[in-house]
Amino acid sequence: MSPHTRRRRTIARHGQLHSPGPLSQLLKFIAIGLAVVLVSGFGVVSYIVYDLSSTVSANAVELDSTTELPPDISEYKGGFNLLLTGVDTCEEAYAQYFGDRCTGADSEGTLNDVNLLMHVSEEPRRITVVSLPRDMMVPIPECEDAEGQVHSAMTKQQINVAYTDGGLNCVAKTVSDLSGQEIQFAASVTFGGVIEITNAIGGVEVCLASPIKDRYTGLDLAAGNHVIEGITALQFLRTRHGVGDGSDLGRIGNQQQYMSSLARTLISGETLGNVPMMLKLATTGLDNVEASTSLADPMKIVQIALAVKSVPFEDIVFLQYPTFTDPADPNRVVPDKASAESMWDAINQNAQLQVTHQNTENDGVVVTDPATETPADGTTPDPAATDPAATPENVVALPDTIKGNSAAQQTCSNGNVR
């Protein structure tokens, strides 16, 4: 079979396992218990003894990363990258919600339809989350799946088939090769996992500038603010017909609105610095995701939370990987390498990022906070205008081909009825 025709056909929509030995796990539990005693008191220890053993996954995915991980639950030191991918697995308990996707002609295989690379810098801490469009055509490296079958490399293929080839590790290798970033942590979450995790968080407030009624996902929300969780949150994150121009690119903006609101909620409520609360959320998360071995215990998640708990909203930026329409297929996109290089250069130099793109009716969201919106003349906002003492040493205005927003901006869904 030709290496260019091997992949599962998808609808146009514009690893190795590691099993720790029982002795090493026992020593890890003892070490974690001691760390918790020193940091958080005896109240957390009873929770650890009761619940931790069920959250350390024996089937965690080994990534191609050599980074050594710290042994305690203090703040994670240095910068790191975390890959989060949403896969369209149809678990039996939730298949009723997804119709043809779980029972029709397109129900075969598992696709990584949401791909987020979160870069957390060293001091001063900044967070940049880059969304990679699922319809982007990219090279996919040689990958080995869980059964030991090796899948040959591809020079050009839709990014969302990487999980089909080799699971989470193949997605990590694909994104790492594309971005030039080493990925220390990775996790994938299913439809059902999103439902359970959003329930554990207690809901996230989202804003709709206009109503969304999407018959494809079943989402029906009026204009205004809504606190969503469970199946409604999943429908909101999955909708693309209901926002902007109905494309995956518009859907990304809608997802970023959700993530911005979630970031503000977790930081403003001091959730990320609350070790017992984060342990419980981490436990729920690990019960509902596939994680890399580097992320396969709740204490590591707490370390990451402690590292980002005080990042200012203006330094939490959500970007969309820049693309062009694929000349070979108008329903696909290809990387805009020049704009992407500017983006990664700014991220790597730990600059404060300024988004200059002006949203249009085709985008999934509209900016509703004029105080933080880029001026219509395209000039870069002056951070010193509101607080001269807080002016960062380096500010980079990104090319206007890169869409996104910071958590300091209020955005609302650009809804429509489909």
Side-chain angles (χ1 to χ4, degrees), residues 126 314-315 317 346 349-354 383 390 392 394-397:
R126 293 191 173 98
E314 62 267 22
D315 284 331
V317 179
Q349 73 183 53
N350 199 14
Q352 184 178 82
L353 307 179
Q354 300 289 351
N394 58 332
V395 179
V396 173

Side-chain angles (χ1 to χ4, degrees), residues 97 214-219 234-236 238-241:
Y97 297 116
D214 180 5
R215 62 185 176 88
Y216 295 92
T217 63
L219 184 64
L234 179 62
Q235 291 170 330
F236 182 86
R238 291 186 67 226
T239 187
R240 62 182 179 87
H241 297 282

Side-chain angles (χ1 to χ4, degrees), residues 120-190:
V120 179
S121 71
E122 56 188 2
E123 297 293 341
R125 292 285 192 190
R126 293 191 173 98
I127 301 171
T128 310
V129 181
V130 180
S131 296
L132 296 98
R134 66 182 176 185
D135 295 330
M136 184 165 61
M137 306 298 288
V138 300
I140 294 182
E142 179 181 284
C143 294
E144 181 178 343
D145 62 26
E147 286 72 41
Q149 181 180 354
V150 176
H151 298 259
S152 59
M154 292 279 293
T155 57
K156 184 181 180 183
Q157 185 56 245
Q158 201 166 312
I159 195 172
N160 72 342
V161 304
Y163 193 92
T164 303
D165 265 10
L168 181 59
N169 187 47
C170 192
V171 182
K173 289 173 67 176
T174 301
V175 173
S176 182
D177 288 353
L178 177 67
S179 64
Q181 302 286 321
E182 181 181 8
I183 296 174
Q184 289 81 16
F185 306 102
S188 65
V189 60
T190 63

Side-chain angles (χ1 to χ4, degrees), residues 7-85:
R7 300 297 190 270
R8 166 195 166 194
R9 180 179 178 85
T10 60
I11 294 177
R13 293 181 285 194
H14 183 70
Q16 299 175 350
L17 301 183
H18 172 69
S19 297
L23 178 59
S24 64
Q25 288 203 57
L26 177 61
L27 292 175
K28 175 185 279 190
F29 294 163
I30 293 174
I32 291 173
L34 290 173
V36 172
V37 170
L38 294 174
V39 175
S40 303
F42 290 96
V44 183
V45 178
S46 59
Y47 171 75
I48 290 291
V49 172
Y50 174 79
D51 210 44
L52 182 58
S53 61
S54 67
T55 65
V56 179
S57 173
N59 293 324
V61 176
E62 193 74 51
L63 298 182
D64 296 337
S65 174
T66 58
T67 302
E68 293 187 5
L69 302 176
D72 55 42
I73 62 169
S74 60
E75 173 184 325
Y76 188 92
K77 303 301 181 184
F80 58 90
N81 291 298
L82 187 155
L83 173 71
L84 179 62
T85 182

Side-chain angles (χ1 to χ4, degrees), residues 13-14 135 214 216 239-254 320 323 325 330-331 333 357 360-366 403 413-418:
R13 293 181 285 194
H14 183 70
D135 295 330
D214 180 5
Y216 295 92
T239 187
R240 62 182 179 87
H241 297 282
V243 292
D245 61 1
S247 72
D248 182 50
L249 303 183
R251 181 181 74 154
I252 287 175
N254 202 51
Q320 183 177 133
T323 59
T325 299
N331 292 311
V333 293
H357 172 79
T360 70
E361 62 181 9
N362 291 328
D363 291 307
V365 293
V366 295
K403 301 176 183 180
S413 299
N414 183 21
N416 56 46
V417 177
R418 302 263 174 153

